[in-house]
Amino acid sequence: MTDRALRMRLDVDVRGDDEVGLGAQRTGPPGPPLRDGELAVVLGTALARAALAGLPADRRAAVARDLSALDARHAAADLAARRVPGAAVHDLRREEQVGARGWGARALLAEGATPPEAVVSVDPIRLPQGQWTDDWAARVPWMVPALVGRASGGSADAMARSVLALRALGEQVAASPDSASDHAVAARAAAVGLGAARPVPGAGAFTPAPPVDAAVTMPVASEPPTRVVPAPPPVQAAPDRRLLAALAAAIGVAVLALVLVFAIIASPASFGIAGTSEVNERLSVVEAGVSQLRGDVGTLAQQLQSGGGTPAETLQELRESVDELRGQVQGLCSVLPVVC
């Protein structure tokens, strides 16, 4: 094996009853990420087979049946919550992997070889045998997607392929619990995961949702311009014939009144109205009578104030003046019948 070989290591560090550390290392020349993801699937499947092989036969079958029902969504939820069944998950630093206590898996891939051709080895690291070891061994298969994600740089395709390989492994071991000791069982299960065509079933569950700021906003289709339909002109109602007749009658009366006014102005005598000179003459007579009556009344008032008696002749004259003024007013009404 040359220095151009790719070396990969996966470690499970049991830290207590409810805490486990997971780590992955890669050394060797850089290569395509797809090769790293495929090698991680092969190595993780072998790790799960070795853990199942360390369980008692009766418990191995039960764990294998559960593993055959593993769902990508459940594995993705465990990764997001950083938990595996019954334990919290922590990341191992490189120096911590040296002293890990649990299970270790190593793969050596020669230059130009395919991942299924890698030399794989899995062994427990300083773990005492007993019930405690069996409990942790039953949890190891559920840690494989997280280990594959660490080794492949978070590749959704690699983690989805690991789920397919684990399900195939669970189906084989559940059907024949003794087959867990056969290395070829892990190779066949890994081939199922690696043989899945893209898009790999379940890969979408491991794809992180884009952040809000990086979300692509879809252009909103503008609504087509609405065509403005002009309102139809208002329909004029037919005029009422009764209204037209009343309007015509009013116009006729106005014309007749105007003709009558001009006729009265042109010939007032024809309508029993005196001319302007005659009216002025009679108004002068009435005005003179009123002035004479005012003088007589003033004289009568002075006599009463002086304490003297009122002669009968004076009263008679005043009565005659009033009668004469009344006659003059009636004469004025005879020339102005419209006014009186």
Side-chain angles (χ1 to χ4, degrees):
M1 198 68 66
T2 65
D3 291 340
R4 301 290 298 175
L6 170 63
R7 294 171 174 85
M8 184 174 290
R9 175 176 173 176
L10 304 179
D11 285 297
V12 177
D13 182 26
V14 178
R15 296 186 170 186
D17 293 337
D18 58 355
E19 182 177 333
V20 63
L22 302 180
Q25 290 185 12
R26 178 194 185 281
T27 58
L34 178 61
R35 185 181 63 163
D36 293 352
E38 291 180 348
L39 182 58
V41 172
V42 172
L43 189 56
T45 307
L47 175 61
R49 182 208 60 80
L52 290 175
L55 292 173
D58 55 346
R59 189 171 186 186
R60 182 188 310 157
V63 174
R65 282 193 296 270
D66 293 341
L67 190 60
S68 64
L70 178 64
D71 186 81
R73 294 174 299 176
H74 297 159
D78 290 340
L79 289 178
R82 299 185 64 81
R83 292 193 62 84
V84 293
V89 175
H90 296 273
D91 294 328
L92 290 178
R93 299 188 300 271
R94 283 183 174 270
E95 58 272 19
E96 291 178 323
Q97 286 187 249
V98 176
R101 184 181 65 171
W103 285 264
R106 292 173 299 277
L108 184 64
L109 181 61
E111 184 179 8
T114 62
E117 298 171 348
V119 178
V120 178
S121 63
V122 180
D123 36 38
I125 306 173
R126 297 187 297 275
L127 267 180
Q129 296 298 319
Q131 183 66 33
W132 187 68
T133 304
D134 294 343
D135 290 342
W136 274 106
R139 299 177 183 176
V140 169
W142 275 266
M143 304 177 193
V144 171
L147 289 168
V148 171
R150 283 163 174 77
S152 63
S155 170
D157 279 2
M159 288 184 281
R161 292 182 191 278
S162 70
V163 171
L164 296 178
L166 291 172
R167 290 173 59 178
L169 176 64
E171 291 174 357
Q172 295 182 66
V173 176
S176 176
D178 294 336
S179 64
S181 59
D182 185 2
H183 293 270
V185 172
R188 289 195 297 268
V192 173
L194 297 180
R198 301 186 65 182
V200 182
F206 296 98
T207 303
V212 178
D213 294 338
V216 179
T217 57
M218 297 298 294
V220 179
S222 58
E223 296 182 357
T226 57
R227 182 180 178 184
V228 179
V229 179
V235 180
Q236 296 182 356
D240 192 356
R241 294 184 179 182
R242 292 176 298 177
L243 181 61
L244 292 178
L247 182 60
I251 293 175
V253 171
V255 172
L256 291 177
L258 186 61
V259 171
L260 182 61
V261 169
F262 279 104
I264 292 174
I265 294 175
S267 179
S270 301
F271 295 89
I273 300 177
T276 305
S277 58
E278 185 177 357
V279 171
N280 289 337
E281 181 179 352
R282 290 185 178 275
L283 285 176
S284 299
V285 174
V286 172
E287 184 179 1
V290 170
S291 298
Q292 178 65 35
L293 181 60
R294 183 184 299 112
D296 294 342
V297 171
T299 301
L300 179 60
Q302 289 177 359
Q303 292 177 359
L304 292 175
Q305 289 177 359
S306 63
T310 302
E313 295 82 1
T314 304
L315 292 175
Q316 184 61 32
E317 291 177 359
L318 183 59
R319 186 179 296 108
E320 292 176 356
S321 297
V322 172
D323 294 339
E324 184 179 359
L325 182 59
R326 183 182 294 109
Q328 293 174 357
V329 171
Q330 290 177 355
L332 179 62
C333 288
S334 64
V335 299
L336 291 176
V338 177
V339 177
C340 296

